[in-house]
Each structure stands twice: as C-alpha cells, then as structure tokens.
C-alpha cells in the first residue's frame, strides 16, 4: 500500500509542479506581451516624431520656394505695369493731338 500512496503523492506533486510551470509561463507570456506593446508604442511615437519633423522641413522648403517665386512674379508684374504705363503715357500725347485736331 505504501507504493500506491507514494504514487498518488508523486502524481499530486507533479500536478502541483505542472500548475506552477503553467502559472510561470502565463506570467512570462503576459510580461512579454506588455514589453512588446511598450516597444511598439515607443516605435510608433518615434516614427510619428520623425514624420512630423520631415513634414516641417518639407513645408519650410516649399514656403521658401514659394516666396522666391512670389518675388519673381512681383518683379515681372511691376516691370509689365511700368511698360504699360510708359505705353499709355506715350499715347496720351497722340490722343491729345487727335482731340485738338477734332475739336478745332
């Protein structure tokens, strides 16, 4: 009979050890999942920060480019306006002569 009771005791001890192993495995699994989530969150935040930084640089470069284009357009417009005004002033004398000739 001692062997049956020893066998039952050994089975109970094995069950207890198995339960302990399962519990430890579950704890380790939970810790690994939490660490993986934390690492993923950190990587996501880093990627967001890098993307925002790149976007700022792109926007600044485009704003600078647009500013240069605006200066060029402004200069061209001013030159066109001055040319138009010069042409208009030249025609004022001609128009005045035509009016004088028509009136007289």
């Amino acid at each position: 009979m001692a062997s049956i009771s020893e066998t039952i005791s050994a089975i109970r001890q094995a069950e207890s050890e198995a339960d302990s192993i399962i519990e430890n495995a579950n704890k380790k699994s939970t810790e690994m999942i939490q660490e993986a989530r934390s690492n993923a969150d950190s990587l996501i935040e880093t990627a967001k920060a890098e993307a925002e930084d790149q976007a700022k640089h792109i926007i600044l470069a485009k704003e600078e480019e647009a500013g240069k284009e605006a200066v060029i357009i402004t200069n061209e417009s001013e030159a066109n306006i001055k040319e138009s005004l010069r042409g208009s002033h030249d025609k004022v004398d001609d128009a005045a002569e035509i009016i004088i000739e028509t009136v007289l």
Side-chain angles (χ1 to χ4, degrees):
M1 293 263 188
S3 69
I4 291 178
S5 110
E6 288 175 359
T7 304
I8 291 174
S9 180
I11 291 171
R12 285 186 180 155
Q13 185 176 357
E15 286 176 344
S16 176
E17 288 174 6
D19 288 342
S20 177
I21 290 171
I22 291 170
E23 185 179 332
N24 287 336
N26 286 337
K27 284 180 184 178
K28 198 165 208 169
S29 173
T30 301
E31 289 172 2
M32 290 172 70
I33 290 170
Q34 288 174 343
E35 184 177 344
R37 284 184 180 152
S38 175
N39 288 340
D41 289 344
S42 177
L43 289 173
I44 289 169
E45 289 303 315
T46 300
K48 281 182 184 179
E50 288 176 2
E52 287 175 0
D53 190 47
Q54 287 178 354
K56 286 178 186 176
H57 287 300
I58 290 169
I59 289 170
L60 288 174
K62 291 298 179 182
E63 285 177 347
E64 185 178 331
E65 185 179 324
K68 289 177 182 178
E69 288 181 27
V71 168
I72 291 169
I73 291 169
T74 300
N75 290 340
E76 289 175 356
S77 297
E78 287 176 358
N80 289 338
I81 289 169
K82 286 179 183 178
E83 184 65 32
S84 294
L85 287 175
R86 268 188 248 130
S88 298
H89 287 277
D90 293 343
K91 295 188 183 198
V92 167
D93 290 338
D94 293 340
E97 284 181 29
I98 292 172
I99 292 171
I100 291 172
E101 287 176 9
T102 305
V103 172
L104 296 177

